[in-house]
Amino acid sequence: MKLLAKAESVAEFIVTYFFRQSSGTIQPVKVARELSKVMLKNKQVSIAHVYVPNLYRVYLHQNDYSILESFGETFRTELAKHLYDEGKKQGFTFLTPPLVEIKVGKDICPGGIDIKTEFKYSLVVPWHLEEENNSDETEDIEKTTLLVDAVKKVSSLEPDLSRKSRFYLEIIKGNGAGKVCYLDQKEVIIGRNQDCDIIIDDMEISRQHLRLVYENRRWFVQDLGSTNGTYVNKLRVDRYMVNPGDRIKAGQTHFRFNIDK
């Protein structure tokens, strides 16, 4: 990670130096600053959450667009992660992790910028939040709640219950560690109740805590109004599309969603 951070710092220096040499062109730091302003300006307050847009379209002059677009998806992803970090600091809620698009706008002068935003419930983004490889039980879990149908880049592996491959949950921490529960039906409810499909002996899990549901050839985790919440890869979620290898936490019980090929 230190090597990656160093490489990113060098890249940032190169980009900043390059833009300083070209007066009249828009600098990347200005784009990031304007995106943050637009996010704050367009927040929506509900009873329990403050929502901010998750889709940002940045319109630039043709010359500025050509320069910024040459950096490709990496630059757009860094802008999106910047927005996410800023929103998280403010306690805001995104419907999905943000997506930044860069386009050529009409009647925009060199160095100018116009940003349009949207709230989109089903937005697939080409990046995901990295899970730290840390097994320390005392580590804090991020409290950001995402109401999301799809947040990750669609995997080339699409679930298909008609195939011989079987999806399963493995308990990797907590009571029953090592147990494997195969997902052989399209809806699986997890909780303490005896009528749940997967019964977990964990007092921090609600009677009906969460469910896994198979829809449109993909698996989703959905919290069922639990007291302590449902987490996927450290994010507290209401609904979340899961991919093989994702970790799910309910109470003190940790699962890994995977496929038996």
Side-chain angles (χ1 to χ4, degrees), residues 43-140:
K43 65 180 182 292
Q44 300 289 330
V45 180
S46 70
I47 295 175
H49 302 284
V50 178
Y51 294 97
V52 288
N54 56 336
L55 177 58
Y56 297 78
R57 292 191 175 97
V58 179
Y59 295 92
L60 304 171
H61 184 270
Q62 176 66 61
N63 294 342
D64 293 329
Y65 169 81
S66 298
I67 295 173
L68 290 180
E69 190 61 19
S70 67
F71 293 101
E73 189 174 282
T74 300
F75 176 61
R76 297 191 297 274
T77 298
E78 288 304 313
L79 290 173
K81 290 182 177 180
H82 166 74
L83 278 172
Y84 180 82
D85 290 340
E86 289 299 308
K88 183 176 67 173
K89 290 176 185 177
Q90 299 292 330
F92 297 152
T93 298
F94 294 89
L95 297 178
T96 73
L99 176 68
V100 175
E101 298 176 347
I102 300 177
K103 301 176 178 292
V104 177
K106 295 181 179 179
D107 302 323
I108 296 180
C109 299
I113 183 171
D114 184 28
I115 301 175
K116 304 295 184 185
T117 64
E118 288 186 41
F119 292 85
K120 299 200 72 172
Y121 285 91
S122 296
L123 183 64
V124 178
V125 303
W127 65 279
H128 61 88
L129 301 172
E130 296 180 0
E131 178 186 6
E132 295 180 4
N133 186 18
N134 188 344
S135 59
D136 188 351
E137 295 184 7
T138 62
E139 67 179 348
D140 292 332

Side-chain angles (χ1 to χ4, degrees), residues 201-252:
D201 183 17
D202 182 341
M203 292 305 297
E204 294 190 27
I205 287 182
S206 297
R207 291 181 175 85
Q208 287 193 338
H209 194 104
L210 65 106
R211 70 170 184 156
L212 279 93
V213 58
Y214 182 72
E215 295 177 355
N216 299 321
R217 296 169 59 84
R218 292 178 176 83
W219 282 100
F220 295 84
V221 167
Q222 182 176 350
D223 185 78
L224 298 176
S226 65
T227 301
N228 294 319
T230 298
Y231 296 82
V232 178
N233 298 337
K234 296 187 184 181
L235 295 176
R236 182 166 182 166
V237 302
D238 288 325
R239 181 179 168 89
Y240 194 97
M241 186 181 78
V242 289
N243 288 312
D246 283 347
R247 295 178 61 146
I248 302 167
K249 178 180 181 294
Q252 292 301 313

